[in-house]
């Protein structure tokens, strides 16, 4: 009986080794992990010692979009044509304006309403002297693919797709800018003028509050 149990355990371990649960390549590996981490910023808003909100966003520039498409192609086993079609779509969307994937947590769930017609928050990009208001903010499902691509998404976060027109000075990629989420509770400023340094426990470093 003991030998049979040991054999069953060994077989189960071998099966698990043949069928890893993590995607291959893993989300932190390769060009996608590096592109995402370099384009990601976080801001945590406090009122004294009270945690009000947390915002984490990835700027989806053309190069980040392409890296994401390449990663999805590996995960899904796309054909060369499927990948080419997706890349064409990504390039067209990148040319049309700016986009962020925003994961947002608010201690008061009623304040997590960035997609509401009369949200308690204003979402805009600060680029030079210009304020570029979000043209559309829409919530999306935080399914397994979204969490796999953006592992910073937490179980209590709402994930938003933030679209903005092109800034007067041109594309944001390669220029200093900030995404600001402002309201009566305070301002969350995600600053791409600062380059994050990777800490030992995460692939990207939140920009510290001033």
């Amino acid at each position: 009986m003991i030998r049979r149990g040991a054999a069953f355990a060994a077989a189960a371990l071998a099966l698990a080794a043949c069928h890893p649960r993590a995607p291959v390549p893993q989300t932190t590996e390769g060009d996608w992990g590096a592109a995402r981490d370099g384009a990601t910023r976080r801001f945590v808003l406090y009122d004294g010692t009270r945690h009000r909100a947390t915002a984490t966003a990835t700027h989806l520039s053309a190069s980040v979009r392409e890296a994401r498409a390449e990663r999805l192609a590996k995960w899904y086993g796309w054909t060369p044509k499927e990948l080419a079609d997706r890349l064409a779509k990504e390039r067209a969307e990148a040319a049309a304006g700016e986009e962020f994937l925003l994961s947002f947590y608010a201690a008061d769930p009623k304040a997590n309403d960035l997609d509401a017609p009369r949200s308690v928050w204003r979402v805009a990009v600060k680029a030079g002297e210009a304020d570029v208001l979000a043209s559309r903010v829409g919530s999306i499902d935080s399914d397994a693919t979204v969490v796999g691509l953006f592992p910073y998404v937490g179980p209590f976060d709402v994930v938003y797709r933030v679209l903005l027109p092109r800034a007067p000075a041109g594309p944001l990629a390669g220029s200093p800018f900030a995404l600001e989420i402002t309201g009566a509770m305070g301002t969350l400023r995600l600053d791409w003028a600062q380059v994050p340094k990777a800490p030992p426990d995460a692939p990207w470093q939140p920009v510290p509050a001033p």
Side-chain angles (χ1 to χ4, degrees), residues 21-187:
R21 296 185 65 182
V24 179
Q26 295 186 29
T27 188
T28 55
E29 297 175 339
D31 292 341
W32 164 243
R36 178 201 58 231
D37 297 343
T40 298
R41 300 292 187 275
R42 166 175 284 181
F43 194 99
V44 182
L45 178 65
Y46 285 95
D47 180 2
T49 59
R50 183 180 179 187
H51 180 199
R52 288 282 194 171
T54 298
T56 312
T58 300
H59 177 223
L60 299 177
S61 64
S63 60
V64 174
R65 287 174 175 275
E66 291 179 8
R68 179 179 61 178
E70 296 279 359
R71 175 53 51 89
L72 289 173
K74 291 180 179 178
W75 282 356
Y76 286 121
W78 286 347
T79 65
K81 184 181 183 306
E82 287 177 310
L83 175 57
D85 290 345
R86 178 58 179 260
L87 287 172
K89 179 176 181 290
E90 295 287 0
R91 289 163 184 156
E93 291 184 356
E98 305 290 352
E99 181 175 344
F100 295 83
L101 189 290
L102 170 64
S103 182
F104 193 75
Y105 166 81
D108 178 1
K110 294 180 181 178
N112 205 337
D113 69 341
L114 275 68
D115 58 345
R118 298 183 64 181
S119 173
V120 299
W121 302 99
R122 174 182 184 265
V123 181
V125 159
K126 300 275 189 180
E129 299 298 322
D131 273 20
V132 183
L133 291 173
S135 56
R136 181 185 174 192
V137 180
S139 60
I140 63 173
D141 291 336
S142 54
D143 58 20
T145 300
V146 170
V147 175
L149 287 169
F150 304 94
Y152 55 74
V153 173
F156 303 108
D157 293 353
V158 177
V159 182
Y160 297 96
R161 186 184 183 203
V162 180
L163 303 177
L164 304 98
R166 188 75 74 202
L172 297 176
S175 302
F177 67 91
L179 177 67
E180 287 194 350
I181 306 166
T182 56
M185 287 185 285
T187 297

